[in-house]
Every structure is written in structure tokens, then in C-alpha cells.
Amino acid sequence: MRMSELSRRSGASVTTIKYYLREGLLPAGRQLSATQAEYDENHLRRLRLIRALIGVRGLSVSTTREVLGALAEDTDDTHRLLGLTLGAIRLADEAEPDSPEPAEVDALIEELDWNVHGSAPARATLAETLAALRTLGSPLDWRVLLPYARLAEQTAVLDLDQLDGIEDPLEVAERALLLTVLLEPALLALRRMAQENESARRHADATGN
Amino acid sequence: MRMSELSRRSGASVTTIKYYLREGLLPAGRQLSATQAEYDENHLRRLRLIRALIGVRGLSVSTTREVLGALAEDTDDTHRLLGLTLGAIRLADEAEPDSPEPAEVDALIEELDWNVHGSAPARATLAETLAALRTLGSPLDWRVLLPYARLAEQTAVLDLDQLDGIEDPLEVAERALLLTVLLEPALLALRRMAQENESARRHADATGN
DNA sequence: GTTCTTGGATACCTCCACTATCCATGTTAG
DNA sequence: CTAACATGGATAGTGGAGGTATCCAAGAAC
């Protein structure tokens, strides 16, 4: 198909598609001549994925490029891919190398007996959250995170179950990416609603209502 | 204290503080004269909170203003405040009024027997996630979200437990805000690490390693 | 009383995700 | 065959967001 059809079927404008090609998010089509190129279903899938990551989830173009790169390389190493995508979350870049939090994070992971890569960006995210709460005068002991982590374990089991029965490694990686990244706002939304519900429940209990 | 001291103790530059004053994020100080104003500890607390929401969490200035406004008004209605902050999450603004997802979301909440406000932005977030997955060719039945929601319930219990023992309503609201918003990246980080761990575990099982 | 600091207003800057325009080459309708 | 339109690629421009730099008049410090 031509670029205009790609545009129609994906909802992205032709100029936006050109932009993604330039930025290396979308691989070039098959060149038919100097000024003609052809695209296939894979381009369409990829483009829809890009639109979801950027438009729905709000990832930056550069993050999206990294994530898609990981998708291309590590279709086998699914759990490495899952780790990689966290760079997405956009946490402040201001690393404080002298902060004591990494030790706390290490202690947490040790206590959990988790097998996670030492350089996982998730570690930095945790450390920074603890640091931020500390400077705000509401420090949080890492042990408070333990029960949260146990719930995260159960969430991860659900996540991985979703990938069962898919054979094609590329498809596994792509669905893993989708479920990891796109489900994040949904899970946070569930948490907010659950908080509202729990808060109302406790308030009702307290007033005997 | 003067603006310069506010700047030193908060880490934000004087010009940034002026910017937040202009944008209405930070209340004006007590005017001593035409060109002198004085700030107190409350300003400092507020400013640190703003820096955490914008700098660490990445909220927009306008969202932060809304959230802080809710904090000022609804110090009593904590669970309403919790619901309000979800506007933060930045999901695409492209509401599709003819999408069938709201019905699914309603079914989910009905099944959960949750007491949540009908206009909760979280509902829209869920609907949009389902819509995005559908257009990507990976539709997700709302029933799949049920076990996730049950885990969210337990998470919410942990969240609300953190607020126990605080009397001052303003302090409750502020800590609720911190724990809800700042903990979000941390919870997602825990999920990613748990996924990595679970994936490694399953892989090890499969290979008999 | 001169120098430094402060608060306030205004204009400017940088980055990001697009978007508009131009042009040479291709395709297609008559 | 040719004239009108479409396509791809390159380059420059747009709009919004989150600050930042500069200027100035009024106080404060020595």
C-alpha cells in the first residue's frame, strides 16, 4: 500500500507518518522507484502501536524509539524487554549518587527474593520516590513497600498469564509491551477507584451509617 | 522569610518561584511594602510539594493547580480529593462518545460492587484503554480486569492504612495526595520488576534449570 | 548616599511533537 | 501523448509548555 492508504487506515496524517519515518520509529517502505515506496501490514501494525504509545500513553518519541528497538532485538528475551520499557515512565533525570536510597532498594529486593537485573531503571525509580518523600518530610520506610510488592507479584502473574498460548515470539513481545505499557494507566485508575471505594466504606463504618 | 531564602531552602530558582506565583500555584506572600513580601513555612511546604508533583512526577502546571485547589477546598472530603487527582494522568483527550466501552466499564464496576462517583475520570481512563487495545487488534475482555481490580482493592487498603493516626484533616489530605500520586511510579516499578522476576521464574521452570 | 537586594512585569528561550510548503518524480484519465 | 493530480523526500515553520533573562522602581545595609 502507499503512504496515503497507510494514513487512512491508521488515522495518522501523511506528514506525521513522514515525521515518524524521519525519526526512525517506522522502518522505510520498499522503494519502488526514486519517489515511490510501498508499505505492508507490518508497517500498519507498527504505526498503530506507535500511535498508541505516543498518543494514548503519552510516551516521548525518543522513548518510543528505544522501546521499539528493544522489541526488534529482544523478541526472545521477553522479560528483558519488560524491564527496558520502564525508561518510559519519565522520572526526573537528576540522579543523586550520594543518596542512601539505593541501599534501601537493594534491601527491599533482597527481602523479596526477586531476581531482577541490577541496572533495572525500576530500581532508580523506587530510589527516587523514596528520596522525594523524604525531602517532603513524609519519609517512607522501605518495609512499607513490602506488601505492595507482594501485590505486584500477583499482578505480574496475571500479566504473564495473558501471554500464554501465543507461540510467535514477536507476537509475545508485542503483546507483552502492550499489556505492560497500555495497562499502566488502567491499573492506576483501578487503584484510584478502589481508594475512593475504600475511603467511602471506612467513612460509612465510622459513622455507623 | 524572603523569596531568596524560599529559593535556597526549596531548591527552586527565584524566577521559577515567581513563575509559580504568577501561575497561581503558590499563594502570594504577606506584603510588607510595595516591593517587599514575606513568606512562611507553609509556602515552603507548598513549594516543595509543587516541585515534587511537577519535577518528580511530571504533572503539568495546570493539573498541579487543579490538584492543589482541591487540596485547599476538600480537606475533609479526602476520598473526593483522591478521585480528583486522576485528571493528572494525562490520557488522550480524544473522547469517543460513541464507543461501546463505557458500558463495559459500568459492568466491571457493578460486578466489583464498588461505590465510585459516576463522573470519575478513572472511568474514562479505563474505557480508553479498552478502546486502544481494541483498535490495536488485541482486545481485552473487561472480565480480565476483575482480578486486577481485586488486587487494586488490597492496594487501596494499604494506602488508606497509611493515613491512620493522622488527625489534622489538612495533613491527611496532603499525605493522601503524596501517597496517591508519588507512589504511582513506584508501584509501576514494582510491577515491572515483578514481571521480570516472574518471567525469569517461568523460563527457569520450563527449561528445568 | 551609594550599593545591593527584592518583588513585579515583560519579553524571550528551548524543547517537543507536529505541520505546511516546495519540488522533482510518477501515475493516471482522456 | 499530455495534462492534472498524487507521492516521497527535504526543509522550514508552528504552537504550547515550562521555564529563564532582563529591566526597573522601591527598600535595606553599611
Side-chain angles (χ1 to χ4, degrees), chain B residues 106-124:
Chain B
D106 289 345
L108 173 64
I109 292 172
E110 170 111 11
E111 179 73 25
L112 289 164
D113 196 26
W114 277 1
N115 180 10
V116 296
H117 199 264
S119 68
R123 287 174 183 262

Side-chain angles (χ1 to χ4, degrees), chain B residues 2 30 68 74 78 80 122 125 127 137 147 159 165 168 181 184 197:
Chain B
R2 298 313 173 75
R30 195 167 61 89
L68 292 176
D74 290 320
T78 307
R80 216 177 84 69
T125 301
D159 290 332
D168 178 26
V181 177
E184 286 181 346
N197 178 62

